[in-house]
Amino acid sequence: MTFNKIKINNPATLPTVFIFLILVCLVDSFNDTFYEKAEWNFSVFKGLPDFISWKVSLAISLFLIMLAAALLYKIDEIHFGIKSKSHQITGLWVIQIAGFPFLHSLTEVHVAIIFILLSYDKLFSINNKSNEAGDVFISTMYLGIATIFYSCTAYLLIPHIIAIYRFRYATVRDWIVSLAGFLTPFYFSIFISYFVLGDCLYPVKVTLANLMPHFLSNSLDLSAIQYVSCAYITFLIIIKGIVISNKSLGGMNQKTMSCNLIFSTMLLFATSIFILFGAEGKLMLPVIFIYTTSGIKILFGTIRKKFVANLLFTIMAIISLFAFLYES
């Protein structure tokens, strides 16, 4: 993916991003939360944050959050093709992340989300051309790298392979190429693990162990205001589904409908893991926010009355701000 010629159509996007960064730095820098760095429990790189100071950890996490915002913006511009002067996708992404302070410190999902977005960018580029096997391989390879960093990403391979059929007449060869791409990062990690740890199966054993919840729980370990934030985001997505359905998919072209459907399928799997794993599944929230960010952007773009869109956006920002300040 390239980042050249990125144009910010709405100047309000940049202040939104910078205000978030300033708030995080001011509040979190004087808070004991980040003196206790997040533990990487669902990664082959378990224990990695122990070698990084909390200030460096915070800086890296903020950088990765902004990089993910840029990737989302580029995917939206290239593949969704919905031109709108309403609220930009970067601001929506940042506001959602802001309401969950445990996502501000560096976790395994911060790195994984970058490769997940790179994976979907390649996936959305696949078509029926005969030379697109390379994109199939690279898209699942990115997903494999993401799984190395965050094990639960492996579940996204299922909707990913299904999505390939949305863009081309997939064959058995595509299945083989997909699996080969996904397993390639593990191939290299096995060799590295053998020479570094003396255990070549360590990456495989850790990943498989992390794919099962350690305990089943009905509690998601979120605060009351964070539940409100999740409920409001869900409300907007439901409204988006109703509005788009009533407008014959909002005038979307076939490519945009396919991308939206793929994100919807990804949302279903990510939400299932989030609920099934209970408190251990909280790190799936950024994966869920990939779709909700895109979905809310589409909703705001289809609302004719700008006042209504601005009001919904403002409520979302206020709820996120209260969640951020309350938890911090």
Side-chain angles (χ1 to χ4, degrees):
M1 168 172 282
T2 60
F3 292 90
N4 58 322
K5 298 182 179 180
I6 294 182
K7 297 180 180 180
I8 305 297
N9 296 325
N10 188 349
T13 300
L14 293 179
T16 300
V17 170
F18 288 128
I19 288 173
F20 164 76
L21 290 177
I22 292 172
L23 279 174
V24 169
C25 290
L26 287 178
V27 176
D28 293 334
S29 293
F30 297 98
N31 192 294
D32 292 337
T33 302
F34 288 99
Y35 286 97
E36 298 180 2
K37 292 172 292 185
E39 296 181 0
W40 288 27
N41 296 318
F42 287 84
S43 174
V44 171
F45 296 97
K46 185 176 182 179
L48 180 62
D50 296 339
F51 300 96
I52 305 174
S53 68
W54 74 271
K55 291 183 179 180
V56 174
S57 175
L58 177 59
I60 293 175
S61 69
L62 293 177
F63 169 77
L64 292 175
I65 289 172
M66 300 317 304
L67 180 58
L71 286 167
L72 268 171
Y73 182 89
K74 197 63 176 177
I75 290 174
D76 181 71
E77 285 286 300
I78 294 176
H79 301 293
F80 280 80
I82 299 178
K83 304 299 179 181
S84 172
K85 294 182 180 180
S86 64
H87 314 82
Q88 290 295 335
I89 201 165
T90 50
L92 293 170
W93 166 262
V94 165
I95 285 174
Q96 289 178 95
I97 294 291
F100 299 87
F102 58 83
L103 296 176
H104 299 173
S105 58
L106 183 62
T107 66
E108 51 265 56
V109 78
H110 282 81
V111 182
I113 205 73
I114 301 300
F115 290 101
I116 290 173
L117 289 169
L118 290 172
S119 174
Y120 278 103
D121 176 59
K122 277 296 180 183
L123 176 65
F124 292 160
S125 300
I126 294 173
N127 53 44
N128 282 317
K129 294 181 180 179
S130 58
N131 295 324
E132 294 299 325
D135 284 341
V136 174
F137 179 88
I138 294 175
S139 67
T140 52
M141 184 187 71
Y142 281 138
L143 208 59
I145 297 174
T147 302
I148 293 291
F149 282 96
Y150 181 47
S151 302
C152 290
T153 306
Y155 287 106
L156 298 182
L157 179 63
I158 300 173
H160 193 95
I161 292 179
I162 295 174
I164 295 175
Y165 285 87
R166 186 76 185 180
F167 290 118
R168 61 181 286 155
Y169 297 105
T171 62
V172 175
R173 175 173 172 266
D174 291 303
W175 279 82
I176 296 175
V177 170
S178 299
L179 292 175
F182 182 79
L183 294 176
T184 295
F186 286 92
Y187 175 81
F188 288 101
S189 65
I190 284 173
F191 276 94
I192 295 173
S193 178
Y194 174 76
F195 288 107
V196 175
L197 303 176
D199 183 3
C200 61
L201 294 180
Y202 171 78
V204 178
K205 291 188 293 186
V206 169
T207 301
L208 291 177
N210 289 337
L211 290 180
M212 294 298 296
H214 296 159
F215 60 89
L216 295 178
S217 172
N218 293 327
S219 173
L220 300 176
D221 194 24
L222 300 177
S223 67
I225 189 66
Q226 288 173 345
Y227 277 114
V228 172
S229 180
C230 290
Y232 185 73
I233 292 171
T234 302
F235 166 75
L236 292 178
I237 292 300
I238 293 174
I239 295 299
K240 175 255 181 182
I242 295 174
V243 170
I244 297 301
S245 176
N246 291 339
K247 291 187 176 183
S248 299
L249 297 175
M252 296 181 185
N253 57 34
Q254 187 62 42
K255 174 70 178 293
T256 301
M257 287 190 290
S258 296
C259 294
N260 185 65
L261 180 60
I262 289 170
F263 269 177
S264 300
T265 308
M266 178 271 291
L267 173 68
L268 178 62
F269 275 79
T271 304
S272 298
I273 299 304
F274 172 62
I275 296 174
L276 177 64
F277 276 66
E280 295 181 343
K282 292 194 298 183
L283 292 183
M284 286 302 288
L285 277 173
V287 182
I288 294 173
F289 290 159
I290 291 177
Y291 173 79
T292 58
T293 300
S294 175
I296 295 172
K297 163 65 163 41
I298 294 174
L299 170 63
F300 288 165
T302 56
I303 296 177
R304 293 183 178 180
K305 294 183 178 180
K306 192 174 181 180
F307 169 77
V308 176
N310 288 336
L311 178 61
L312 294 174
F313 178 83
T314 302
I315 295 174
M316 179 180 177
I318 291 174
I319 294 175
S320 181
L321 179 61
F322 271 105
F324 169 65
L325 296 177
Y326 177 79
E327 288 299 308
S328 298

